[in-house]
Amino acid sequence: NDENTNTDPSASEGELLDMSKHVATSLTTKDKSLRVAIGLFVGFGSALTGSSGPVLLLPILLTLQWDVIIALGCAQVIQLPIATAATISYVVLRPGVVDFALGACIAAGLIPLIFFGAWGASKVKRETLRLVVLLVLVVATIVLVTQLALQEA
């Protein structure tokens, strides 16, 4: 069981911060190796799928029993470097593929709602939040698989 585990919904943000500091300083070589392997998988998979990381990282961290708030935070933090590196790679390797105007339109709506989502996540019990996150991931998977099946038919 990973040291990032905290299933107590009443844990304060200060307790989570203390826990994350402890984890960062007490990682074994095995823990570090696992995290590097996860990073390699998520980095490659994100560039391949255009998912920016969280859609791949979040299920992995939740499967490893990480606290949902820490998992969401880690998933959000990795988005920027992955999205930047993937965008640069696509611009260099496949010129004309990146639609910057579409990206700007989506970002205009996405950025303000990120703050609302983070605020909402901080107000919900951890078990409820974990269930909501898992439900959203399952529904997204069903929609994508259904679209793929319909395209193949």
Side-chain angles (χ1 to χ4, degrees):
N1 215 8
D2 198 271
E3 296 235 5
N4 288 46
T5 303
N6 180 13
T7 57
D8 178 9
S10 63
S12 72
E13 296 307 313
E15 290 169 325
L16 285 175
L17 184 58
D18 289 344
M19 182 174 51
S20 64
K21 286 179 184 175
H22 168 73
V23 170
T25 60
S26 65
L27 293 176
T28 66
T29 300
K30 181 181 173 185
D31 293 331
K32 291 176 185 176
S33 298
L34 175 62
R35 290 166 190 208
V36 168
I38 290 170
L40 291 170
F41 172 76
V42 170
F44 177 75
S46 297
L48 189 65
T49 64
S51 66
S52 296
V55 76
L56 298 174
L57 181 62
L58 198 51
I60 292 170
L61 297 181
L62 293 175
T63 299
L64 293 173
Q65 298 300 307
W66 281 40
D67 177 83
V68 66
I69 295 291
I70 292 176
L72 284 168
C74 289
Q76 295 304 314
V77 166
I78 68 158
Q79 274 189 108
L80 188 57
I82 287 177
T84 301
T87 301
I88 291 169
S89 297
Y90 273 92
V91 167
V92 170
L93 299 174
R94 309 255 339 246
V97 171
V98 178
D99 186 341
F100 289 102
L102 175 61
C105 289
I106 292 171
L110 182 112
I111 291 172
L113 289 176
I114 288 172
F115 295 103
F116 179 72
W119 174 82
S122 71
K123 300 298 181 193
V124 176
K125 288 185 179 181
R126 284 184 170 67
E127 284 84 11
T128 303
L129 181 59
R130 183 179 179 90
L131 182 61
V132 168
V133 168
L134 294 174
L135 184 62
V136 167
L137 291 171
V138 167
V139 169
T141 300
I142 291 169
V143 168
L144 291 172
V145 169
T146 301
Q147 284 180 340
L148 180 63
L150 292 174
Q151 287 176 356
E152 296 293 322

